[in-house]
Amino acid sequence: MNELLLIITLLVSFGGTLLFLKVFGKGGLFAWVGICTLFANIEVTIVVHAFGMDQTLGNTLFAATFLATDILSEIYGKKEASKGVLAGIFTSLTFILLSFMWVHYIPSESDWATPYVKGLFTNTPRMLLSSLIAYAVSEAIDVSLYHAWWNLTEKKTGSHTKMLWFRNNFSTLISQFINIVIFNFGAFLGIYSFKELVAITGACYVIYIATSLLDTPFVYLARKFAAKQENLSTEAAV
């Protein structure tokens, strides 16, 4: 059941990225980054067993934010990709602030939700802060690496468009490793034993490797969408 749910979540996360791009354009990618960051910060509090490994949830949603910023890099450039990263950072900061206040309200006698909210968020500031730091650092590295690899492949091939798979995968695989190490050790060091923590981190990175490789076709599709839209705009102008 967990495996099936993870696969469905991956399809929703990556498919939603393309849907928001197609319907809303560049602004849709900024919005999708915020949506995925928000829900990933909630999901990441849950540890499940799937594919023979213990892992935190949120992996597929965070992977979608990397997909969105890679698409922004590929189609709109480094400046817009950096804005996408900021959208995720501001979303996380807002969520941390609001969730901190939720657990300090005095509930009415008829309230039933507060115990559950407190159970979920009272002990998560460290986790959310670790998530924010991991996201900010790894996404900034992802954008920088994407364009560094792009410059390298353009010099090697003489083409501005070739080897998209290379810049997409090698920027994401490196930045995702940094992301998961910062988050897991920041959020769970002292909660799990070092051995358990290394195992969870390794399991999460295996998932990230899979999601990183699987997101490449979506970047190609996004570039086709953008090229088609540009052609339509040119024809309309003529």
Side-chain angles (χ1 to χ4, degrees):
M1 188 64 180
N2 285 345
E3 289 80 2
L4 177 61
L5 289 172
L6 282 171
I7 292 170
I8 293 172
T9 303
L10 180 67
L11 293 175
V12 171
S13 301
F14 285 2
T17 307
L18 290 185
L19 179 63
F20 270 62
L21 171 65
K22 191 172 180 62
V23 176
F24 303 109
K26 179 173 61 177
L29 290 176
F30 294 147
W32 192 242
V33 167
I35 291 168
C36 289
T37 303
L38 175 63
F39 287 117
N41 276 322
I42 298 172
E43 270 200 342
V44 81
T45 61
I46 305 169
V47 178
V48 300
H49 187 81
F51 299 107
M53 303 172 289
D54 286 337
Q55 56 190 279
T56 58
L57 287 182
N59 294 331
T60 54
L61 288 171
F62 276 126
T65 68
F66 283 83
L67 171 61
T69 52
D70 283 353
I71 292 173
L72 285 167
S73 287
E74 183 69 26
I75 300 174
Y76 301 105
K78 186 175 182 178
K79 183 177 180 180
E80 297 304 315
S82 297
K83 287 182 181 178
V85 175
L86 286 176
I89 292 172
F90 290 157
T91 300
S92 287
L93 283 171
T94 303
F95 181 76
I96 290 171
L97 176 62
L98 291 176
S99 62
F100 174 80
M101 290 191 292
W102 293 339
V103 300
H104 289 88
Y105 278 103
I106 300 173
S108 69
E109 292 183 2
S110 61
D111 173 78
W112 58 267
T114 297
Y116 300 99
V117 172
K118 286 186 174 181
L120 182 59
F121 294 113
T122 297
N123 297 317
T124 58
R126 172 184 170 184
M127 189 176 295
L128 293 176
L129 184 60
S130 297
S131 176
L132 172 61
I133 294 171
Y135 176 85
V137 172
S138 60
E139 281 279 18
I141 290 172
D142 181 62
V143 172
S144 296
L145 282 176
Y146 195 96
H147 290 273
W149 293 132
W150 201 342
N151 291 335
L152 177 64
T153 56
E154 189 170 5
K155 288 178 181 178
K156 293 291 184 181
T157 65
S159 171
H160 189 65
T161 58
K162 287 183 178 179
M163 297 188 73
L164 185 159
W165 62 270
F166 180 87
R167 54 184 174 269
N168 171 241
N169 284 314
F170 281 89
S171 60
T172 303
L173 286 171
I174 294 171
S175 57
Q176 291 279 33
F177 178 75
I178 294 169
N179 174 47
I180 200 63
V181 170
I182 293 176
F183 171 73
N184 278 356
F185 280 84
F188 301 122
L189 188 63
I191 297 175
Y192 295 103
S193 70
F194 185 80
K195 184 178 180 180
E196 289 174 322
L197 193 52
V198 169
I200 291 173
T201 301
C204 290
Y205 189 58
V206 168
I207 298 299
Y208 274 139
I209 291 173
T211 57
S212 297
L213 295 175
L214 290 171
D215 79 357
T216 303
F218 290 87
V219 183
Y220 277 98
L221 285 171
R223 193 168 69 177
K224 284 188 176 181
F225 289 163
K228 184 178 180 180
Q229 186 62 42
E230 186 177 349
N231 290 335
L232 290 174
S233 299
T234 301
E235 290 173 4
V238 173

